[in-house]
Amino acid sequence: MVTLRQPKLTVYSLEVRHGESLDNLKSVWAGWKDAPLSNHGKCSTQARAAGQSLSNVHFTAIYASDLLRAYTTAQAIHEAQSEPKPPLTKSTLLREQHWGIAEGQPWLLGTKPGISVEEHFAQGIYPVLHERWQKFPEGESLEDVVKRAEKAIDEFVMTHVWEAARQGRKNTHIALVSHGICISELIPVLVMKDASGQHPGHRWRGLLNTAWTRITVNVKGSKEGEPMAFTENNLPPLDVQVTDFNRSDHLASMKRQKGGIGSSAYDPKQQDIRSFFGGSAKPTAPEGRSESNAHDEADIEISE
């Protein structure tokens, strides 16, 4: 269980990565391609374990990417909440980076010598891009993802921060259920709301499936039970801190189901049929880190 201290007028923003999806088990570019969770990601309790670990934190609101792997994870968290359950809202703002024509295509860590990136694309080869402005045709760059992240933070977090301050209310907890790369951009966008205004860098990468990150937002000068008066043009300063990153305690006892069932698509109506038909188990990566995810957000050099 997660224990959150309750200092005055703190808004907690928890960024939660989705459970393992079927595309996570392939070495393909998986952004907006809407792959479902694997059995291991859902009924084998990655997502459910995450929901249970957060069940003693009553969220004011839960926001999720509308892509199936994230929204299904958010539903598991929502189901574990006590009554009255918080509203669960899906949004395209929280989607993963869009890979354009590379969606569903194999990724390549390095480029072939002697040919340009554009020539790679023309040949149907899609290597990892190392500059924040780069993108595949019809897709998004990291700079594009930042623009979405800014809108998401303002709409899904900051509205709750200012409302809590105006009402003099504490105990506001917001959950954003999204994707590894999107979360790695959401975090610095929120941290930059700190009074210092300094960009913290892009160091929050390599998220495990269903791992969560907690950010606290304190309105300076606020006190519980004392509503604050301010305007949109004269907002009070904030103290924003990342207190937990990539927390995955709930994965410690997780084990993939044998016979390949854990790597199958999650189907609530056929939880046992896969074991009847059997199948060979695929080699697995460390818990929470699927084979292709190992290179989603970790071990990739991105120019700052």
Side-chain angles (χ1 to χ4, degrees), residues 137-158:
E138 302 174 21
E140 290 182 307
S141 67
L142 286 175
E143 292 174 351
D144 294 326
V145 178
V146 169
K147 293 176 183 177
R148 280 200 283 115
E150 290 171 344
K151 292 179 181 178
I153 291 298
D154 285 341
E155 185 173 340
F156 304 145
V157 178
M158 298 312 300

Side-chain angles (χ1 to χ4, degrees), residues 63-81:
Y63 299 95
S65 159
D66 64 330
L67 295 176
L68 194 57
R69 58 194 186 274
Y71 191 67
T72 305
T73 303
Q75 286 178 310
I77 295 172
H78 186 259
E79 289 168 4
Q81 289 282 288

Side-chain angles (χ1 to χ4, degrees), residues 116-137:
S116 68
V117 173
E118 289 73 22
E119 288 174 315
H120 279 79
F121 300 162
Q123 295 179 24
I125 302 172
Y126 303 101
V128 171
L129 304 177
H130 297 275
E131 302 291 339
R132 293 185 59 82
W133 55 267
Q134 287 182 302
K135 58 185 175 182
F136 297 121

Side-chain angles (χ1 to χ4, degrees), residues 17 21 28 68 119 129 136 157 160 171 194 206 215 222 224 278:
R17 190 185 184 200
S21 73
V28 299
L68 194 57
E119 288 174 315
L129 304 177
F136 297 121
V157 178
H160 293 282
N171 297 342
D194 185 82
I215 304 172
S222 64
E224 181 187 358

Side-chain angles (χ1 to χ4, degrees), residues 188-296:
V189 165
L190 182 50
V191 172
M192 280 188 67
K193 300 289 185 181
D194 185 82
S196 68
Q198 295 182 346
H199 196 292
H202 299 282
R203 60 181 184 272
W204 292 286
R205 297 175 180 150
L207 298 174
L208 302 176
N209 288 119
T210 69
W212 54 269
T213 295
R214 178 178 61 180
I215 304 172
T216 61
V217 183
N218 283 294
V219 180
K220 292 188 176 183
S222 64
K223 294 181 181 179
E224 181 187 358
E226 297 183 12
M228 297 181 71
F230 51 86
T231 66
E232 294 296 324
N233 296 323
N234 188 29
L235 297 172
L238 302 174
D239 177 38
V240 185
Q241 302 288 333
V242 178
T243 60
D244 298 87
F245 173 68
N246 209 17
R247 287 286 299 275
S248 57
D249 310 52
H250 58 281
L251 297 176
S253 61
M254 295 293 99
K255 292 184 179 180
R256 186 178 297 277
Q257 298 176 60
K258 296 181 180 179
I261 185 173
S263 298
S264 303
Y266 171 66
D267 183 346
K269 297 179 181 178
Q270 291 185 304
Q271 293 185 17
D272 299 315
I273 194 68
R274 301 285 184 179
S275 60
F276 176 79
F277 286 107
S280 60
K282 295 181 180 180
T284 62
E287 179 55 53
R289 171 70 65 208
S290 61
E291 292 167 2
S292 70
N293 284 2
H295 301 288
D296 277 352

Side-chain angles (χ1 to χ4, degrees), residues 57-63 81 85-87 160 163 169-175:
V57 180
H58 195 271
F59 291 106
T60 302
I62 301 174
Y63 299 95
Q81 289 282 288
K85 294 186 184 297
H160 293 282
E163 181 182 2
R169 187 185 71 240
K170 69 173 185 178
N171 297 342
T172 299
H173 302 93
I174 309 302

